[in-house]
Amino acid sequence: MKNRLYYGDNLEILRNREYFPDECVDLIYLDPPFNSNRNYNVLFKSESGADSEAQITAFEDTWHWGETAEATYDDIIMNAPHKVATAIEALMNLIERNQMMAYLVMMTARLVELHRVLKPTGSLYLHCDPTASHYLKIVLDAIFGPENFRNEITWQRTGAHDLGAKQWPAVSDVILMYSMSDNRTWNRAYADINGGERIKGFPHIDERGAYATRDMTGGKAGGAEAYQAWRGRAPSSGRAWALPGYHRFPVWLRELLPSEDDWISLGIHAKMDVLGSLDAIHWPVKDDGMPRLKYYFDDSQGILIGDNWTDISPIGAHAKERLGYPTQKPEALLERIIRASSNEGDVVLDPFCGCGTAIAAAHKLGRGWIGIDITHLSIALQKYRLQDMFELVSGADYAVIGEPATVEGARELAQDSANEGRYQFEWWALSLLRAKPVGGSAGSRKGKKGADQGIDGVINFFDEDEAGKKKPQKVVAQVKSGKVNSGQVQQLKGAMENAGAAIGVFITLENPTGAMTKEALAAGWYESQAWGKKYRRVQILTIGDLFAGAGVSMPPQHGTLARASRWKRGGVSEDGESQRDLI
């Protein structure tokens, strides 16, 4: 499968068998949009509750109980596997019709399809929060089977903060892991260990270096000798002496041990005598302490990671990878998941891919990837990120399915009122110039009416003033998908003056009139002191022009949107030569 991004509703896309045949992906990570930062109880109010309208920040129409949610509920009851239908019916009796139930119904329909497309060796990680995790676990048990539940991972995403609430501060997210079978792909994950004279987790030191200790007893019987005292020490009641298998010892120790056949022939006490003679056993200072096997840092891969993740920090306000997306997750979090549950060459799917962290992490680790998102703003952010980090070009290095490829396709997008076509067209058109939307909300399908004051997008750049001092400047853009006239160009001029912009760009789906062109030419020129060049102050670009490769005539710029750092194999970031660090 070629790497690709899809624009559209992931349910429709996942149900398309040409796009997603059965058992076609190796790993799924999803972080569905769901905002529970306000009053928990609001989510359980009837849809007539006034406060409920503010709760869901993305998929606004999807996460409300209405005709779509009702139809999806009916479809699940009629056509989903029996256990899934039974689970949803029970949840409906418990929760009733509200936003939480709408969320669960719409998620169930998608999770059924995600289960279908996973390979038998595949796993799914669902990122959520404690508001809905317990309900989602019931749904996942019904779809995957409770025997295929693997972990409920707790990720501490922030430190404790006291906001006056009379409860423990909420600092963690939940990540539910399910697999298709016991034959799942699994690579043990180890945490990095800080170096130093005494290494974290390896508190002892001898001539070989820092080491930790391991118990030499177990619960299984190993013959009568295994229960008897050795060198004055005996296992506690119900325990027996136990050692790792021959090949579980590190290479340096195996080279000093007898051959494997000779080792197997030895009794448990004789084996412990050999290990003692090689100084591979740790004796506690206390006279009654139990001997333990030494385990050296140099032989370890690190500390085995459990299901409580406190070592991955959230993205800080000044972090290089921060792109300004409200639900952006750190790359380290996704890299851990991808390393553990996939191998190089496997395909990773993120059906709610947002700003593309899972996609970037998968590419970095040599995996194939597929992303789906319902807003052109998110698809644009991912395209920028892939270009900035890996120099990948849309259409050449990966496919984008669902974006307009012709002027007629752009017109269809603009006229798709059922899917907020006005905003989607606007964000898509701005992405062709890498302009930052004004009034757009990442993750949302709607912009903010009246907030742009005649400006739809902005491009930042630096120039110099007459004294040679660095001076920030900007290009403002206005997008029109309907009929256009010269009065709109005049409005753009006024918006430029109000914003103090150097250049204005009028992006239009329809061809401009002669009066519009005359109005634009009358605006004159912007002269760049730093570059010694002149640029038209008002420029008109049609969608056809943009398809043909035209762009804004302006001084070189970087930093329109927050840019992902250039990635270099080996994990070293490389910013490259640009002005982005100045912004």
Side-chain angles (χ1 to χ4, degrees):
M1 281 187 147
K2 183 179 179 182
N3 295 338
R4 56 193 187 272
L5 299 173
Y6 289 95
Y7 160 71
D9 184 336
N10 54 23
L11 183 58
E12 296 177 9
I13 292 168
L14 287 166
R15 285 177 170 173
N16 186 323
R17 296 302 202 271
E18 291 186 11
Y19 292 158
F20 286 93
D22 293 350
E23 300 180 0
C24 62
V25 299
D26 299 278
L27 172 63
I28 296 172
Y29 169 85
L30 62 158
D31 181 14
F34 186 72
N35 181 6
S36 62
N37 292 329
R38 297 179 178 86
N39 187 342
Y40 176 88
N41 294 320
V42 170
L43 295 166
F44 295 90
K45 283 185 179 180
S46 167
E47 281 291 345
S48 62
D51 293 338
S52 65
E53 295 299 318
Q55 295 307 297
I56 308 302
T57 61
F59 273 71
E60 292 96 340
D61 299 325
T62 305
W63 294 166
H64 286 282
W65 194 273
E67 291 184 6
T68 302
E70 189 74 45
T72 305
Y73 171 75
D74 293 346
D75 181 63
I76 292 171
I77 297 299
M78 296 295 295
N79 301 313
H82 174 68
K83 287 186 177 180
V84 178
T86 301
I88 286 299
E89 184 179 9
L91 287 170
M92 175 67 85
N93 291 333
L94 173 66
I95 300 173
E96 301 180 348
R97 287 169 171 80
N98 51 38
Q99 288 188 351
M100 177 63 81
M101 193 63 208
Y103 173 77
L104 294 172
V105 164
M106 304 304 276
M107 282 303 304
T108 299
R110 288 158 173 81
L111 288 166
V112 167
E113 291 301 318
L114 292 172
H115 177 267
R116 177 185 66 80
V117 305
L118 258 183
K119 292 181 181 178
T121 54
S123 296
L124 175 142
Y125 289 78
L126 172 53
H127 197 135
C128 52
D129 66 21
T131 306
S133 61
H134 46 306
Y135 300 122
L136 289 168
K137 197 172 181 182
I138 292 172
V139 171
L140 288 164
D141 277 352
I143 295 172
F144 283 81
E147 70 278 5
N148 287 317
F149 166 72
R150 300 303 167 196
N151 286 104
E152 182 171 322
I153 299 163
T154 300
W155 172 49
Q156 184 175 323
R157 55 179 168 74
T158 185
H161 42 273
D162 183 5
L163 300 179
K166 295 180 180 180
Q167 63 190 45
W168 302 110
V171 299
S172 299
D173 283 356
V174 174
I175 304 174
L176 299 173
M177 177 192 177
Y178 282 74
S179 67
M180 295 294 286
S181 69
D182 287 337
N183 188 32
R184 64 193 179 281
T185 299
W186 180 248
N187 305 305
R188 284 190 180 91
Y190 296 88
D192 293 334
I193 304 170
N194 298 326
E197 185 179 356
R198 289 186 179 273
I199 300 168
K200 180 181 178 183
F202 293 80
H204 309 288
I205 296 176
D206 65 12
E207 65 276 5
R208 291 195 187 101
Y211 68 90
T213 64
R214 289 179 173 176
D215 192 4
M216 291 200 300
T217 66
K220 295 183 179 180
E225 187 182 38
Y227 294 94
Q228 297 171 2
W230 175 77
R231 298 192 181 181
R233 305 290 194 278
S236 59
S237 177
R239 305 284 289 178
W241 295 115
L243 293 172
Y246 185 82
H247 288 282
R248 296 290 299 277
F249 289 114
V251 174
W252 69 267
L253 185 54
R254 290 204 305 270
E255 291 176 349
L256 300 175
L257 295 176
S259 67
E260 184 175 5
D261 290 340
D262 290 342
W263 179 258
I264 293 173
S265 68
L266 295 176
I268 186 68
H269 286 188
K271 290 177 180 176
M272 294 165 69
D273 286 335
V274 173
L275 292 171
S277 68
L278 297 174
D279 195 24
I281 292 178
H282 172 84
W283 286 89
V285 175
K286 293 182 179 180
D287 292 339
D288 59 348
M290 290 293 289
R292 295 171 63 88
L293 194 64
K294 291 182 178 181
Y295 177 60
Y296 288 90
F297 169 72
D298 289 343
D299 299 323
S300 73
Q301 293 175 277
I303 298 175
L304 192 64
I305 296 170
D307 60 3
N308 186 27
W309 297 356
T310 61
D311 60 326
I312 297 177
S313 301
I315 299 174
H318 303 291
K320 276 192 171 184
E321 66 178 280
R322 185 178 183 86
L323 300 177
Y325 199 82
T327 58
Q328 183 180 352
K329 302 300 185 292
E331 288 180 19
L333 183 73
L334 273 300
E335 288 174 18
R336 174 170 293 176
I337 290 170
I338 292 169
R339 282 194 179 99
S341 292
S342 69
N343 297 314
E344 286 195 25
D346 285 352
V347 176
V348 178
L349 166 64
D350 184 349
F352 296 89
C353 53
C355 64
T357 300
I359 301 304
H363 193 86
K364 189 187 296 186
L365 296 175
R367 275 69 166 172
W369 46 264
I370 304 170
I372 309 173
D373 204 274
I374 200 167
T375 74
H376 277 295
L377 181 56
S378 291
I379 297 296
L381 287 173
Q382 292 173 68
K383 289 162 64 176
Y384 304 153
R385 190 172 191 173
L386 291 168
Q387 184 175 22
D388 292 337
M389 290 185 70
F390 311 109
E391 297 183 343
L392 299 182
V393 178
S394 170
D397 299 306
Y398 61 93
V400 180
I401 299 169
E403 279 196 328
T406 63
V407 172
E408 187 55 39
R411 185 171 286 108
E412 290 178 5
L413 173 63
Q415 294 172 353
D416 186 8
S417 58
N419 291 305
E420 298 297 332
R422 167 193 167 187
Y423 296 108
Q424 297 304 321
F425 174 83
E426 180 180 301
W427 292 337
W428 167 76
L430 290 170
S431 77
L432 300 180
L433 298 178
R434 196 165 180 147
K436 179 179 180 180
V438 173
S441 177
S444 174
R445 301 182 68 186
K446 299 180 181 179
K448 297 178 181 178
K449 295 180 181 179
D452 57 20
Q453 296 181 334
I455 298 172
D456 297 319
V458 176
I459 306 173
N460 300 309
F461 67 95
F462 275 101
D463 208 334
E464 294 178 357
D465 59 20
E466 294 180 356
K469 187 177 180 180
K470 183 176 68 178
K471 180 181 181 182
Q473 291 282 19
K474 59 187 171 185
V475 176
V476 296
Q478 193 175 92
V479 181
K480 298 295 181 182
S481 57
K483 292 182 179 180
V484 290
N485 54 60
S486 59
Q488 293 167 336
V489 178
Q490 292 174 355
Q491 291 173 2
L492 174 60
K493 288 182 178 180
M496 290 171 58
E497 295 297 329
N498 292 334
I503 297 171
V505 180
F506 191 93
I507 304 171
T508 172
L509 178 59
E510 308 299 338
N511 290 325
T513 65
M516 292 173 63
T517 302
K518 183 177 179 180
E519 188 71 39
L521 292 174
W525 301 85
Y526 166 74
E527 186 168 355
S528 169
Q529 297 290 330
W531 298 94
K533 293 178 65 176
K534 294 195 299 183
Y535 305 91
R536 285 283 179 190
R537 286 206 71 229
V538 175
Q539 302 171 28
I540 300 176
L541 292 172
T542 67
I543 295 299
D545 294 335
L546 297 176
F547 275 134
V552 184
S553 177
M554 60 175 290
Q557 59 81 33
H558 296 283
T560 299
L561 293 170
R563 295 171 66 99
S565 297
R566 183 69 50 80
W567 179 77
K568 187 163 62 176
R569 191 168 297 279
V572 178
S573 294
E574 175 189 0
D575 282 342
E577 295 180 3
S578 75
Q579 297 183 48
R580 60 172 162 256
D581 292 329
L582 301 176
I583 299 176

